[in-house]
């Protein structure tokens, strides 16, 4: 079984919707981090200070085919192609240790259901 890491860097207000969408598409657990980002364009200023906004970073370890399904679901549900409110990408995962065996069984069941 091959795995991928899916990373979604989103505007903080999209976090809950992203979690729900990812789980509906078959994702199990995920790690969520808080972040800040700098865009190509200058953002709003308030008394001379630039406000860039908070971001949420979701990190998911998924079976390779499932990662593509979750990514497409996030792009569609969050309308990321039409609004610059986030980016989602996957990376191949060569080695992994510590993943819950129940999660692997869930991935296997999802693959069997697709066949």
């Amino acid at each position: 079984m091959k795995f991928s890491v899916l990373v979604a860097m989103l505007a903080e207000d999209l976090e809950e919707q992203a979690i729900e969408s990812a789980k509906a598409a078959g994702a199990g657990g995920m790690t969520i981090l808080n972040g800040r980002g700098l865009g190509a364009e200058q953002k709003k200023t308030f008394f001379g200070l630039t406000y860039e906004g908070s971001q949420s970073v979701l990190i998911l370890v998924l079976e390779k085919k499932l990662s593509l399904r979750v990514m497409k679901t996030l792009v569609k549900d969050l309308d990321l192609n039409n609004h610059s409110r986030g980016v989602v990408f996957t990376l191949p995962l060569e080695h992994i240790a510590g993943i819950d065996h129940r999660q692997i069984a869930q991935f296997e069941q999802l693959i069997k259901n697709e066949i």
Side-chain angles (χ1 to χ4, degrees):
M1 184 177 297
K2 295 188 179 193
F3 292 94
S4 292
V5 175
L6 184 142
V7 179
M9 296 180 288
L10 310 163
E12 190 175 42
D13 62 315
L14 296 176
E15 180 181 303
E16 288 302 318
Q17 184 181 357
I19 292 168
E20 291 173 15
S21 292
K23 286 187 174 187
M30 62 191 78
T31 299
I32 303 167
L33 306 171
N34 293 319
R36 294 183 311 147
L38 298 174
E41 298 177 17
Q42 182 136 356
K43 300 291 181 183
K44 303 174 194 171
T45 58
F46 182 73
F47 290 113
L49 299 173
T50 302
Y51 174 73
E52 294 294 338
S54 297
Q55 293 180 333
S56 293
V57 180
L58 282 59
I59 303 171
L60 299 85
V61 174
L62 302 165
E63 188 277 327
K64 188 176 180 178
K65 289 181 183 176
L66 179 60
S67 68
L68 183 58
R69 180 191 320 163
V70 172
M71 185 175 94
K72 287 179 178 180
T73 299
L74 289 173
V75 169
K76 179 180 170 271
D77 290 356
L78 304 175
D79 198 23
L80 296 179
N81 282 334
N82 296 319
H83 298 91
S84 300
R85 304 212 48 223
V87 63
V88 182
F89 59 91
T90 63
L91 300 166
L93 187 58
E94 292 294 323
H95 306 285
I96 185 168
I99 191 166
D100 189 337
H101 294 290
R102 292 173 293 185
Q103 187 67 53
I104 292 174
Q106 181 183 359
F107 291 153
E108 288 174 344
Q109 188 61 43
L110 286 168
I111 292 168
K112 287 177 185 175
N113 290 342
E114 285 189 11
I115 293 177

